[in-house]
Amino acid sequence: MAKVESSMARVILEPHAQFDLTAHSRASSIRSLALATLPHARRHRAAVLYVGTHSGTLFSLSVDTDDGDGAPNDAVLRKLSFLRSVSVSDAAVDCISVIEELGKVLLLSDGALFLVDSELSNRASKLSFSKGVSLVTRRRFRNGESEGVGLGLGSGLGSGLGLFQKLRMNSVKEGEMQSEGGCVFALVVGKRLIIAELVLGNRNGKSERDDGGGGSLVVLKEIQCVDGVVSAMVWLNDSIVVGTVNGYRLISCVTGQSSVIFSLPDVSRPPRLKLLHKEWRVLLLVDNVGVIVDAHGQPVGGSLVFRNGLDSVGEIGSYVVVVSEGKIELYHKRYGGCVQVLPFGGEGVGRCVVASEEDRDGKLVVVATATKVVCYQKLPSVEQIKDLLRKKNYKGAISLVEELELEGEMSKDLLSFVHAQVGFLLLFDLHFKEAVDHFLLSDTMQPSEVFPFIMRDPNRWSLLVPRNRYWGLHPPPAPLEDVIDDGLMRIQRASFLRKAGVETMVDNDLFLNPANRADLLKSAIKNISRYLEACREKDLAESVREGVDTLLMYLYRALNCVEDMERLASFTNWCVVEELEQMLEESGHLRTLAFLCASKGMSSKAVHIWRILARNYSSGLWKDPALENSTQDNRESLISGRAIASAEASKILEESSDQELILEHLGWIADVSQVLAVKVLTSEKREIQLSPDEVVTTIDPQKVEILQRYLQWLIEDQDCNDTQLHTLYALSLAKSAIEVIESENICENLNGESIETRSLAALKNSIFDIPVRERLQIFLQSSDLYDPEEVLYLIEGSELWLEKAILYRRLGQETLVLQILALKLEDSEAAEQYCAEIGRADAYMQLLEMYLDPQDGKDPMFTAAVRLLHNHGESLDPLQVLEKLSPDMPLQLASDTLLRMFRARVHHHRQGQIVHNLSRAVDIDARLSRLEERSRHVQIDDESLCDSCYARLGTKLFAMYPDDTVVCYKCYRRQGESVSVSGRNFKEDILFKPGCLVSR
């Protein structure tokens, strides 16, 4: 037995008017009903009810409505009013068929057919037709189709086109009949199924004239029923569904053939049929089970299981109306569940009849007992939803909304409206998660509607809140704290009322399992935050965006969601800083405030906050919430906190072009991290670069490496040609180099620690990867713009001998350079290379003299002298060499070398004579070509240019790649030793070439 599901039970039909026929003198028990809407109804009459009695009388009642604003869907039923009555016959009126378009009513009584006008203004006329008609039904069409006799059956299906016109031409001779219009019926006479056309108007010829009715039936086709007497019949499209004691069959009115839909059990109630106008299908009844089939007799969907045997079946919208045992039951066609039960006459009222409008959007249902007629009106969908919401049946309301949307009876805007209304009701019932779920399903709800739940009025966004009370089912908006307090108070009040036996509408879940206020408030804030987060993805007005982001920050703060606060503040947002500044300062969320100011372009304020945080980290006055749960010790946390503060400040300053702001905060950032300070100064993200003079003046003299790194960046990366900055850089490097040497000497004397160990330790604490002396030497050789005399003056008394040699070389002091290389540094190779750079033979002789007579009490450097003679002896005059040789020099050291020198001299003399006597230049060219094949000769002079930056090499250090490209040392550092300017990678593409001779 079907049950009324509590989640779906709702009010769909409401009784609005009734009429008692016992007050009428001609009344008797009711046999049949028909409800129709007539196009010529007067005043506000939307429908006319026809009531047929067992005594053969037909009554007409007007269904009076008040149309309100004129919208038919909103019409309110007022009363049933008696119009007229007409006597049909002495027997019961078994069937009433209203032909609305013709203004006629066809009646079946005592096996005969009668015709009367729809207003019952004339007497009923009996149609001349065969006696013994047991059933009559009219061919039905979907809305928008017409039934003219010129149209054939199955016009929608493409079969039987022009069928009735052909049948009629075969039955009536041409010119025999002139008609005003026609309507086709199917009639059952015994075991015959007759298709006939009702034709209005005068007929001439042999046919008999009606008794004043002006109409007649013309037989178009006759079909023999092979399955017994037909007791139920419905005509749908090209098919007629008939019911007999044996079962249901489908008969084609085109071919006359029939097929079995299904058979009935041996013991069952008589068959019954009901045309469902909304779906354009047929309901077949087997005892208390209903099966819905389509026009082809195929079952569609599930079965409907009714409570008991039924007296009559009607239809209204998506529901089947069943009348039995003094009750009206409504079953949903799709789901099959019973959604409403209405008692109307009590048990023992006898057989009941139901009638409904033959319209897919019908709003009325009429139920009649033996003597009383009760009219029910379908409650508008909105009122049904309201009723469910008042009963707090939110699931039922949503199910109804979804059902109406699926059936196309509810617009998307109204659906969104209902979702928002349900959301507010759930919110005031303290179901915050479910409330927000419905808010998110509403496309029309404005984010500003939740603003009053977060911030009390008046506030910046008060005027943005729409004054929409919806259906007035919930209180006006209030802060969440007040909503929760009021809800808990209602629950407490309901507890007292229930103890007193008074039923209340309080939610049982909260009543049986009450939550504490703190948990409810946390849930409310969390879910409202979820709604605002979703709203951020929508296209909103600027003022609404500001409210969403600002209030979202309030909610994050209430839950102390530090990560969410900082994430919102760090990226693009519409927060209003003025509304949040005081709150964030008082709550100690300075990091969030700093991120927020930075995102709004308030760089000065943001950096100032980071400075305060760095200072408070150091003093222990403030702890980073993100580090509170960390496993680091206090010292590590302080270091980490200061580093984070300085890093965030440096990010802001790297993009800022405000020189005053940058230089103001450079100091404290440098105290935390010199690397970050350098990044701030050398950033290329800013639109306007800083003034070098101002930066150099501002940098703390104690932060030497910052100054050096900044000057290096200016010179090497920015191609700065300012001689003062080049000189300043050289002096700074020189001073640092002197300090390093002095420090190393002191440490070596005190601790015995080697210079290499001390250098590695110093380099580890430096921001540079290269030791300062190496950087100094590289710069002194690569730059032409510094003042060598000023640098030389600084390092004159130091041990920076190689640096002095570079400077003297720059000043052209060849002798001093050779003295330093040969005597101080004892670097014979470098000394010889410098002589080669000078390019004069006397330079080697001068170097030889230094080796043989070092002076200052040093012993002669015979080994170096022999090396010089061995490498460059052929460039020296043997006689001069012999004169310079010291008597103390061991002969065995120099004998081989001297002998080789003399032999080379003789060889060169003879070779010169041979070349001088050669008469043909071809031999010389051949010799030269062979020589070029075996070696490469590259000539570098003062005018040579770097192949990368095209700067003049002059006396700078340079490098040459295997593909003969020459670059200055600065470009060599940038380019690397593996890839040349041409882009060739010599590690991947190895190039073998003969030796190279480079000369200047």
Side-chain angles (χ1 to χ4, degrees):
M1 183 178 294
K3 294 184 179 180
V4 181
E5 301 176 13
S6 59
S7 61
M8 290 290 293
R10 56 180 184 264
V11 177
I12 298 174
L13 292 181
E14 285 187 337
H16 279 268
Q18 64 180 15
F19 188 83
D20 194 345
L21 288 182
T22 56
H24 198 277
S25 58
R26 301 173 61 183
S28 63
S29 60
I30 299 173
R31 169 64 178 171
S32 57
L33 292 175
L35 184 61
T37 301
L38 300 181
H40 54 278
R42 299 190 301 269
R43 297 191 306 276
H44 297 295
R45 293 173 184 168
V48 175
L49 176 64
Y50 295 95
V51 181
T53 65
H54 281 84
S55 62
T57 303
L58 179 67
F59 292 86
S60 65
L61 306 176
S62 68
V63 183
D64 294 334
T65 60
D66 182 3
D67 291 337
D69 295 333
N73 291 341
D74 298 330
V76 179
L77 183 63
R78 295 304 181 191
K79 62 180 179 178
L80 288 173
S81 303
F82 174 78
L83 292 177
R84 285 196 177 102
S85 65
V86 64
S87 179
V88 179
S89 69
D90 294 333
V93 178
D94 297 316
C95 179
I96 305 172
S97 181
V98 182
I99 312 172
E100 299 174 358
E101 65 273 18
L102 301 181
K104 299 292 183 178
V105 180
L106 183 67
L107 307 172
L108 174 61
S109 178
D110 195 22
L113 297 174
F114 298 84
L115 192 66
V116 66
D117 65 282
S118 58
E119 295 187 358
L120 308 188
S121 57
N122 297 319
R123 64 183 179 86
S125 60
K126 182 178 180 181
L127 299 181
S128 58
F129 197 76
S130 301
K131 190 77 171 167
V133 177
S134 58
L135 287 175
V136 61
T137 186
R138 180 183 174 189
R139 187 188 183 218
R140 302 295 181 181
F141 291 85
R142 274 186 178 272
N143 290 352
E145 297 181 7
S146 60
E147 189 190 309
V149 294
L151 295 175
L153 289 173
S155 58
L157 300 175
S159 61
L161 184 61
L163 173 66
F164 288 151
Q165 185 176 7
K166 295 177 182 179
L167 290 175
R168 183 183 177 195
M169 291 174 62
N170 293 333
S171 302
V172 183
K173 292 182 180 180
E174 185 176 357
E176 189 178 25
M177 180 175 59
Q178 297 177 352
S179 65
E180 299 176 0
C183 187
V184 183
F185 288 87
L187 305 96
V188 175
V189 180
K191 291 187 177 183
R192 294 179 300 155
L193 177 62
I194 299 175
I195 298 176
E197 179 185 1
L198 173 64
V199 180
L200 302 181
N202 297 325
R203 291 193 58 182
N204 300 320
K206 300 178 181 179
S207 299
E208 296 180 2
R209 179 181 179 85
D210 297 328
D211 298 335
S216 62
L217 284 172
V218 178
V219 176
L220 302 179
K221 189 168 185 176
E222 185 173 318
I223 301 172
Q224 189 70 28
C225 298
V226 298
D227 198 24
V229 178
V230 177
S231 58
M233 180 172 59
V234 167
W235 192 351
L236 182 67
N237 294 341
D238 291 349
S239 304
I240 300 176
V241 181
V242 298
T244 67
V245 293
N246 297 321
Y248 293 99
R249 302 183 71 87
L250 185 70
I251 300 176
S252 171
C253 57
V254 178
T255 63
Q257 296 179 352
S258 65
S259 59
V260 178
I261 299 177
F262 60 80
S263 301
L264 292 176
D266 294 337
V267 180
S268 64
R269 294 177 182 175
R272 290 190 182 178
L273 297 169
K274 173 60 182 176
L275 175 62
L276 304 178
H277 294 82
K278 183 177 178 65
E279 292 79 14
W280 205 239
R281 292 167 182 165
V282 181
L283 176 65
L284 313 181
L285 297 175
V286 182
D287 291 335
N288 65 326
V289 177
V291 179
I292 300 176
V293 299
D294 58 17
H296 303 287
Q298 299 298 320
V300 180
S303 301
L304 303 180
V305 180
F306 305 116
R307 292 170 175 269
N308 298 303
L310 46 91
D311 295 334
S312 183
V313 181
E315 175 195 22
I316 184 166
S318 301
Y319 308 96
V320 172
V321 182
V322 175
V323 180
S324 65
E325 299 180 356
K327 296 179 181 179
I328 299 177
E329 298 175 353
L330 269 71
Y331 293 84
H332 197 283
K333 298 175 185 176
R334 180 175 301 163
Y335 306 117
C338 181
V339 296
Q340 186 180 10
V341 177
L342 284 171
F344 69 93
E347 296 183 2
V349 297
R351 180 180 179 274
C352 301
V353 183
V354 62
S356 55
E357 297 177 272
E358 295 183 354
D359 187 351
R360 68 188 309 271
D361 298 319
K363 306 294 181 183
L364 299 176
V365 172
V366 178
V367 179
T369 60
T371 58
K372 186 171 64 173
V373 177
V374 182
C375 189
Y376 294 85
Q377 186 175 28
K378 181 182 178 182
L379 197 65
S381 301
V382 171
E383 295 301 323
Q384 295 181 43
I385 298 170
K386 286 182 183 179
D387 180 71
L388 292 171
L389 295 179
R390 290 189 187 98
K391 297 174 181 177
K392 298 189 180 298
N393 187 356
Y394 303 132
K395 292 182 179 179
I398 295 304
S399 298
L400 176 59
V401 171
E402 293 174 348
E403 172 190 322
L404 294 172
E405 182 196 16
L406 187 63
E407 295 173 358
E409 296 184 11
M410 177 171 285
S411 66
K412 287 190 174 296
D413 287 345
L414 184 56
L415 175 62
S416 296
F417 178 89
V418 173
H419 274 301
Q421 173 67 90
V422 173
F424 281 114
L425 288 170
L426 287 167
L427 189 146
F428 281 98
D429 283 347
L430 309 184
H431 295 286
F432 302 109
K433 180 182 182 301
E434 294 81 358
V436 170
D437 290 342
H438 285 285
F439 288 160
L440 295 175
L441 293 174
S442 175
D443 295 331
T444 58
M445 180 176 171
Q446 297 297 317
S448 55
E449 294 183 51
V450 302
F451 289 178
F453 294 98
I454 306 171
M455 181 177 287
R456 294 184 183 274
D457 289 333
N459 56 64
R460 179 190 289 260
W461 299 282
S462 295
L463 297 178
L464 298 178
V465 181
R467 303 305 174 187
N468 187 358
R469 288 298 305 280
Y470 291 87
W471 287 327
L473 302 178
H474 63 268
L480 290 174
E481 294 88 344
D482 296 348
V483 171
I484 293 173
D485 291 338
D486 293 343
L488 294 175
M489 186 65 70
R490 284 197 306 273
I491 295 173
Q492 187 177 6
R493 189 182 305 115
S495 176
F496 292 119
L497 292 176
R498 288 195 177 186
K499 291 179 180 179
V502 179
E503 190 64 29
T504 62
M505 298 296 293
V506 175
D507 191 338
N508 286 329
D509 292 339
L510 287 175
F511 183 79
L512 299 175
N513 303 298
N516 61 62
R517 186 180 186 276
D519 291 341
L520 288 173
L521 184 58
K522 182 178 180 180
S523 174
I525 295 174
K526 181 179 179 181
N527 284 284
I528 295 296
S529 300
R530 180 164 61 93
Y531 174 69
L532 293 181
E533 288 170 352
C535 291
R536 298 189 76 230
E537 305 299 325
K538 297 180 179 179
D539 184 15
L540 305 174
E542 181 177 343
S543 56
V544 179
R545 286 184 180 275
E546 291 178 351
V548 169
D549 284 2
T550 304
L551 297 180
L552 185 58
M553 185 69 78
Y554 269 101
L555 296 177
Y556 286 157
R557 163 62 190 90
L559 295 177
N560 197 31
C561 298
V562 178
E563 292 185 3
D564 294 329
M565 294 171 66
E566 295 184 359
R567 182 174 59 252
L568 175 61
S570 300
F571 297 98
T572 303
N573 64 82
W574 294 80
C575 293
V576 179
V577 179
E578 294 81 2
E579 293 286 336
L580 298 171
E581 184 174 4
Q582 182 178 356
M583 177 196 73
L584 295 176
E585 286 180 349
E586 292 176 353
S587 62
H589 292 87
L590 295 181
R591 280 171 53 98
T592 301
L593 182 58
F595 285 128
L596 186 59
C597 291
S599 68
K600 296 299 179 181
M602 303 169 65
S603 301
S604 178
K605 189 172 185 62
V607 177
H608 179 71
I609 295 173
W610 286 119
R611 183 175 186 175
I612 294 175
L613 287 174
R615 184 171 60 247
N616 290 347
Y617 274 126
S618 302
S619 61
L621 296 176
W622 191 84
K623 292 184 179 180
D624 187 352
L627 299 175
E628 286 183 354
N629 298 326
S630 176
T631 57
Q632 298 175 337
D633 58 28
N634 292 335
R635 178 170 178 79
E636 289 178 345
S637 297
L638 291 177
I639 295 174
S640 176
R642 293 184 64 202
I644 291 173
S646 59
E648 295 296 337
S650 66
K651 289 179 183 177
I652 299 172
L653 296 179
E654 285 177 28
E655 299 181 358
S656 174
S657 298
D658 188 344
Q659 179 170 290
E660 183 178 351
L661 175 66
I662 295 170
L663 299 181
E664 176 187 354
H665 293 277
L666 182 65
W668 71 267
I669 294 177
D671 291 338
V672 178
S673 172
Q674 295 191 42
V675 175
L676 292 176
V678 170
K679 290 180 65 177
V680 170
L681 294 176
T682 60
S683 171
E684 297 184 6
K685 298 178 182 178
R686 59 177 61 96
E687 297 178 358
I688 302 174
Q689 291 298 330
L690 307 177
S691 169
D693 295 337
E694 295 292 335
V695 173
V696 170
T697 304
T698 305
I699 294 176
D700 186 353
Q702 302 298 322
K703 305 294 190 301
V704 178
E705 288 193 339
I706 296 178
L707 175 62
Q708 293 175 0
R709 182 66 187 89
Y710 175 66
L711 292 173
Q712 181 187 21
W713 174 76
L714 286 176
I715 294 170
E716 296 183 2
D717 297 341
Q718 303 298 310
D719 296 326
C720 176
N721 295 322
D722 191 329
T723 56
Q724 293 183 352
L725 295 178
H726 279 248
T727 303
L728 179 61
Y729 182 42
L731 292 173
S732 178
L733 290 174
K735 186 177 181 181
S736 297
I738 293 172
E739 292 175 353
V740 169
I741 291 178
E742 293 176 351
S743 176
E744 290 175 350
N745 292 335
I746 293 174
C747 291
E748 185 178 9
N749 294 332
L750 294 178
N751 304 327
E753 188 176 10
S754 65
I755 295 177
E756 292 77 8
T757 304
R758 182 65 182 174
S759 299
L760 291 175
L763 188 61
K764 184 177 180 181
N765 297 325
S766 172
I767 65 174
F768 292 98
D769 298 329
I770 304 175
V772 64
R773 283 200 66 181
E774 185 177 344
R775 288 186 280 121
L776 173 60
Q777 294 165 8
I778 292 172
F779 178 71
L780 292 178
Q781 296 182 75
S782 62
S783 175
D784 295 332
L785 300 178
Y786 62 88
D787 186 349
E789 294 182 354
E790 191 172 349
V791 179
L792 189 58
Y793 178 79
L794 176 63
I795 67 173
E796 190 67 38
S798 69
E799 298 295 322
L800 301 176
W801 294 109
L802 181 57
E803 290 79 359
K804 292 178 184 179
I806 296 172
L807 294 172
Y808 283 131
R809 175 174 171 269
R810 183 61 55 85
L811 294 173
Q813 302 291 331
E814 298 175 356
T815 302
L816 293 177
V817 174
L818 286 175
Q819 287 178 348
I820 293 173
L821 294 177
L823 304 180
K824 291 294 183 181
L825 300 177
E826 297 184 358
D827 189 347
S828 301
E829 183 178 357
E832 293 175 12
Q833 183 179 355
Y834 182 63
C835 290
E837 291 180 10
I838 295 174
R840 300 192 310 272
D842 62 326
Y844 291 107
M845 187 59 69
Q846 185 180 9
L847 179 59
L848 180 61
E849 292 176 356
M850 292 181 183
Y851 285 150
L852 297 176
D853 186 14
Q855 298 181 1
D856 295 334
K858 292 187 65 176
D859 294 333
M861 303 171 65
F862 295 125
T863 304
V866 172
R867 169 192 168 91
L868 175 62
L869 294 174
H870 177 78
N871 292 336
H872 304 284
E874 63 272 13
S875 302
L876 301 176
D877 186 347
L879 296 177
Q880 291 183 1
V881 171
L882 291 175
E883 293 177 356
K884 298 295 183 181
L885 288 178
S886 170
D888 299 332
M889 182 177 179
L891 183 60
Q892 63 271 19
L893 292 176
S895 59
D896 293 340
T897 301
L898 292 173
L899 180 60
R900 212 169 30 251
M901 287 176 57
F902 288 118
R903 287 176 178 174
R905 172 67 61 171
V906 174
H907 175 71
H908 285 308
H909 176 71
R910 291 176 178 175
Q911 189 178 37
Q913 288 178 341
I914 294 172
V915 173
H916 179 72
N917 294 327
L918 286 175
S919 60
R920 295 181 181 181
V922 177
D923 295 338
I924 299 175
D925 291 340
R927 292 170 180 268
L928 291 176
S929 64
R930 286 195 299 270
L931 182 62
E932 289 178 356
E933 290 175 358
R934 294 166 52 193
S935 64
R936 293 181 296 149
H937 184 274
V938 180
Q939 179 71 32
I940 303 295
D941 55 25
D942 291 343
E943 300 302 322
S944 298
L945 301 179
C946 172
D947 289 337
S948 177
C949 66
Y950 303 106
R952 188 172 62 86
L953 293 178
T955 59
K956 296 180 181 178
L957 287 179
F958 64 89
M960 188 176 71
Y961 292 96
D963 60 355
D964 296 340
T965 55
V966 179
V967 295
C968 64
Y969 190 78
K970 181 171 70 174
C971 294
Y972 170 71
R973 286 187 59 203
R974 293 181 184 174
Q975 194 75 19
E977 63 181 12
S978 301
V979 182
S980 71
V981 179
S982 63
R984 185 166 184 172
N985 191 324
F986 301 107
K987 287 185 177 181
E988 299 177 357
D989 186 10
I990 300 175
L991 178 65
F992 292 97
K993 279 202 169 186
C996 175
L997 175 61
V998 181
S999 62
R1000 299 183 84 116

